[in-house]
Amino acid sequence: MSHRSRKHKKRFACGHRGYGRYCHCCAERVARKQKRFSQRRQEREQWQALFAGDAIELSHLPKSIVKKARNVLSALQQGTHYWQMSGKRLEMMRDVIRIPVTRRYRLLCQDDGDQIVPIKVISHEDYNPLTRGPKRFLSRLLSRKP
Ligand SMILES: [Zn+2]
C-alpha cells in the first residue's frame, strides 16, 4: 500500500502534533477550563445564595469573617450567652453588646430586654474611635445598614 493512504500525524497551528481535523490536546484543555469556570460560577452562586439566610448583612465582609460571624450568630440563636463568647456591654450604651468574631471584627448586638438582637459586624478599627466619641456616633454605627 502506498504511504499516502495511511493516517498520518500532522502539526496543528498550535504547535501540537496529532491526528484529525483539530488538536484534541487543545480541545481537552479548553473543555477542562470551561468545566472549572462553570464549577466556580456554581460555587459563587451557592455562596451568594447563603447570604439570604443570614440574620444580618454579611455580604460586604471577607469570606473568612463571614464564616466566623455565622458561627457566632448561630451560637447566639441556639441560646449561647454573649458573655460565654467574650461579649461585653458598651460602657456608654449598656444595651449594646459587642462580641468578638475575630481579632479584628466585632458583632454588635442590641439587648432589647427579651433577647440579644444582632445588628452588624464591624472591624475593630471602625469601631474603636466611635466608642470614644459622642453618643450620636454610636447611634449611627448601630444603624442597620452594613
Ligand atoms: Zn494543540
Side-chain angles (χ1 to χ4, degrees), residues 14 16 23 25-26:
C14 58
H16 291 131
C23 173
C25 183
C26 284

Side-chain angles (χ1 to χ4, degrees), residues 11-139:
R11 186 180 288 277
F12 298 104
C14 58
H16 291 131
R17 292 171 70 86
Y19 302 107
R21 291 194 300 120
Y22 59 91
C23 173
H24 288 77
C25 183
C26 284
E28 273 170 33
R29 203 187 47 184
V30 168
R32 276 198 302 273
K33 203 170 162 184
Q34 282 170 342
K35 196 177 166 198
R36 266 203 310 275
F37 181 81
S38 69
Q39 272 171 349
R40 276 202 209 106
R41 191 177 54 193
Q42 204 184 349
E43 282 165 15
R44 202 162 50 236
E45 283 168 359
Q46 283 167 350
W47 174 252
Q48 289 300 327
L50 287 176
F51 289 113
D54 294 325
I56 54 171
E57 187 58 53
L58 298 176
S59 62
H60 59 297
L61 297 165
K63 202 167 187 169
S64 61
I65 308 301
V66 171
K67 288 178 180 170
K68 291 192 171 111
R70 280 181 181 146
N71 291 342
V72 175
L73 287 168
S74 78
L76 269 180
Q77 205 173 22
Q78 283 159 29
T80 308
H81 295 293
Y82 68 87
W83 64 83
Q84 294 173 302
M85 296 183 278
S86 307
K88 289 186 173 67
R89 288 179 186 273
L90 302 197
E91 275 172 38
M92 293 176 67
M93 292 176 89
R94 300 295 294 171
D95 62 327
V96 179
I97 293 159
R98 61 175 200 273
I99 303 172
V101 173
T102 62
R103 283 162 65 92
R104 261 195 72 190
Y105 285 84
R106 302 289 177 266
L107 170 65
L108 289 189
C109 302
Q110 200 147 25
D111 183 355
D112 74 356
D114 297 322
Q115 55 176 340
I116 307 297
V117 183
I119 305 292
K120 64 163 59 169
V121 175
I122 58 166
S123 74
H124 210 41
E125 291 91 329
D126 287 340
Y127 157 81
N128 271 349
L130 294 172
T131 59
R132 294 193 291 269
K135 213 169 172 174
R136 69 172 182 276
F137 285 134
L138 257 180
S139 305

